[in-house]
Amino acid sequence: MANIKSQEKRNRQNERRRLANKSIRSEMKTRIKSALEAAESGDPDTDLKLRLAQRRIDSACSKGVIHANKAARLKSRLFREVASAL
């Protein structure tokens, strides 16, 4: 437990950021999963869901939740899996 005032504040800030990042990361994973499921089932809204997943990945990257290389890797894998499912 921190006993320095600045570290106590830093702990509060880190907790707030952790919760915010958690929701962003969770929504990103959900969008990716729904895009993959749509592609596998032959859903006509696959393109829309793919764009939404891409947007969430880019959003998480720009907010600093995930690294740029991880965002590129996730998008590459997503597009490759959707293309093979179609």
Side-chain angles (χ1 to χ4, degrees):
M1 195 66 196
N3 59 358
I4 297 171
K5 209 162 186 57
S6 61
Q7 187 58 45
E8 290 172 355
K9 179 179 178 181
R10 177 63 61 195
N11 289 343
R12 288 193 306 269
Q13 291 173 334
N14 287 340
E15 183 63 17
R16 278 196 302 270
R17 289 188 183 117
R18 183 185 70 83
L19 294 174
N21 291 343
K22 183 179 177 183
S23 67
I24 292 168
R25 198 175 294 117
S26 175
E27 185 180 1
M28 181 186 71
K29 289 179 186 179
T30 302
R31 298 285 185 183
I32 291 171
K33 187 186 289 187
S34 68
L36 288 173
E37 289 173 354
E40 290 172 359
S41 67
D43 189 5
D45 291 336
T46 301
D47 290 339
L48 173 67
K49 291 184 178 183
L50 186 61
R51 280 199 311 270
L52 288 174
Q54 180 183 2
R55 189 178 302 158
R56 291 298 173 226
I57 293 171
D58 288 337
S59 175
C61 176
S62 68
K63 291 177 180 179
V65 177
I66 61 172
H67 193 275
N69 290 353
K70 179 173 182 171
R73 184 176 65 244
L74 285 173
K75 288 192 292 186
S76 175
R77 288 178 181 173
L78 177 64
F79 292 141
R80 193 172 60 224
E81 289 181 30
V82 168
S84 68
L86 293 177

